[in-house]
Amino acid sequence: MNAPYAFHEPAPTRQDFYDRIRGLNLTPLWESLHSLVPREPRSPATPTLWRYRDVQPYLMQSGQLITAEEAVRRVLVLENPGLPGLSSITQSLYAGLQLILPGEVAPSHRHAQSALRFIVDGKGAYTTVDGERTLMHPGDFIITPSWAWHDHGNEGIDGVSEPVVWLDGLDIPMLRFFDAGFAENDTELSQRVTHPEGSTFARFGYNMAPVKNVGALANSPIFNYPYARSREALDTLKRTDAVDAWHGHKLRYVNPLTGGSPMPTIATFLQLLPAAFAGKRHRATDGTVYCVVEGRGSAVIDGQRFEFEPHDVFVVPSWAELRLSSIDDAVLFSFSDRPLQSAASILREAFLDN
Ligand code: GTQ
């Protein structure tokens, strides 16, 4: 019975139409289909390197500006210039450099976000995770699983009293995306230590596990993966194994109970590029953050060349092509959101021929 719409009024132009439906919270898919479903990833994140030499003086200045206790966490966030205002280094990951001065305490709290620490510079600091303390040594990889209580401090060691700096990696943007963030402050500045230092490593750190009461499997029971052990493994591989043309000698950190990543949302890696390594190009959908532990070299990311030296941090966005080269033996720590992409069967990677 009703006459067609166009019979009563002139056919709306497309823009008029869009303006009219906006009031009904409707938008035309055909105007955004290509960017919503791109042919391949085009990350807004940009390849970026933070030179420790440039950043370190400002980090130390921040130590004069505010105490660790007042700041709760005294961190300079490594914000990707392609993601302004988002405190993100990739779309899914947060990274920052945290400073703790001798005598300071970063108060105990817990949150749904998972965190990793990769110790960059200095000794004498500790972190306590769910009642067990561990000393931090440069190159140690430490986890703070989701909802685990944690506080940090710097009491010095062996008469050494110096600033300690580590790289924080968290899944903050993922939890923001899911609107799943919760946090809670402890009632005390430092949590009470309830397990002797090293007791967890004794149970799980020697390719063995307790026969009873193993506990939950979602996160690795090991919370400090000491650099001395990982470095020794890479050193042996350098002498015994063929070098991979893309990765050099690369190992991933594992939850010893499952073989999976130490935490559900973040995968972590350590690789050695032997001196004069000239790698082939590689790309993957998991945007990856690298921290240089030892040696000098270069990362060419989508054709852009970055020279790196120890303590530098650089980011390779999703699907960017990466070519790694070294001058001397170089050791790189890295982390990404690979476990979630693997779980969702959306991870893609390509190993290019040159
Ligand atoms: O150490 O708990 O860099 O909660 C950002 C948020 C560190 C921490 C960060 C945090 C922490």
Side-chain angles (χ1 to χ4, degrees):
M1 292 293 143
N2 288 335
Y5 176 72
F7 187 83
H8 293 285
E9 40 184 314
T13 65
R14 287 180 184 176
Q15 191 54 53
D16 283 348
F17 177 78
Y18 303 160
D19 292 346
R20 264 184 248 174
I21 66 173
R22 194 182 305 132
L24 293 168
N25 303 315
L26 296 168
T27 68
L29 171 64
W30 59 88
E31 290 291 342
S32 51
L33 184 58
H34 292 301
S35 61
L36 286 176
V37 187
R39 208 177 60 78
E40 60 176 40
R42 284 189 307 259
S43 179
T46 57
T48 307
L49 179 139
W50 289 263
R51 262 180 187 292
Y52 191 68
R53 246 195 298 170
D54 297 338
V55 173
Q56 196 259 6
Y58 291 102
L59 201 49
M60 294 307 144
Q61 281 181 36
S62 77
Q64 313 293 311
L65 222 58
I66 189 164
T67 65
E69 190 178 334
E70 191 192 348
V72 182
R73 298 294 182 261
R74 190 206 287 114
V75 176
L76 295 182
V77 177
L78 307 180
E79 186 175 80
N80 193 292
L83 304 168
L86 292 174
S87 297
S88 301
I89 191 161
T90 68
Q91 294 265 46
S92 61
L93 293 167
Y94 157 104
L97 287 168
Q98 181 160 173
L99 167 69
I100 190 145
L101 295 170
E104 286 191 321
V105 168
S108 177
H109 70 186
R110 62 179 177 176
H111 37 71
Q113 290 81 0
S114 299
L116 69 85
R117 331 280 167 199
F118 187 74
I119 315 312
V120 170
D121 201 9
K123 62 178 192 175
Y126 66 85
T127 187
T128 307
V129 180
D130 273 347
E132 187 174 333
R133 189 180 270 208
T134 188
L135 261 175
M136 299 167 146
H137 307 89
D140 287 358
F141 157 56
I142 294 171
I143 64 169
T144 308
S146 177
W147 215 239
W149 291 109
H150 54 288
D151 53 87
H152 321 301
N154 184 348
E155 294 181 342
I157 182 131
D158 301 334
V160 176
S161 178
E162 60 187 22
V164 174
V165 175
W166 63 81
L167 176 68
D168 280 324
L170 286 90
D171 54 12
I172 286 172
M174 295 186 208
L175 273 84
R176 182 168 58 203
F177 173 81
F178 287 115
D179 286 332
F182 293 86
E184 193 178 354
N185 289 325
D186 210 341
T187 50
E188 307 196 55
L189 209 55
S190 304
Q191 61 185 300
R192 208 156 43 83
V193 173
T194 54
H195 317 297
E197 180 157 359
S199 60
T200 297
F201 200 80
R203 272 179 271 131
F204 297 98
Y206 294 88
N207 300 316
M208 303 180 87
V211 295
K212 290 170 80 178
N213 305 323
V214 159
L217 300 181
N219 292 286
S220 173
I222 296 177
F223 71 106
N224 187 347
Y225 295 75
Y227 187 62
R229 302 292 300 270
S230 316
R231 184 67 181 86
E232 183 187 0
L234 290 178
D235 198 55
T236 302
L237 293 181
K238 187 184 106 172
R239 286 183 278 107
T240 58
D241 271 31
V243 65
D244 182 87
W246 294 271
H247 293 318
H249 300 284
K250 186 170 184 177
L251 295 172
R252 63 186 178 88
Y253 292 88
V254 298
N255 174 343
L257 297 177
T258 63
S261 55
M263 297 185 291
T265 52
I266 307 177
T268 44
F269 307 89
L270 195 72
Q271 72 197 106
L272 184 149
L273 312 176
F277 179 75
K280 294 181 176 180
R281 284 174 303 146
H282 164 258
R283 69 197 327 200
T285 50
D286 56 331
T288 303
V289 181
Y290 288 81
C291 182
V292 182
V293 196
E294 300 177 33
R296 289 164 302 143
S298 69
V300 179
I301 310 171
D302 274 347
Q304 213 180 325
R305 185 182 180 83
F306 299 90
E307 314 282 347
F308 62 71
E309 60 183 21
H311 307 338
D312 291 351
V313 176
F314 61 92
V315 59
V316 181
S318 169
W319 212 233
E321 285 181 5
L322 169 67
R323 182 199 298 283
L324 290 171
S325 305
S326 63
I327 297 169
D328 31 18
D329 279 7
V331 179
L332 307 177
F333 171 82
S334 57
F335 65 96
S336 81
D337 61 12
R338 181 164 286 233
L340 287 189
Q341 292 203 34
S342 294
S345 290
I346 56 172
L347 182 80
R348 285 214 201 186
E349 71 185 320
F351 294 89
L352 305 169
D353 278 338
N354 55 55

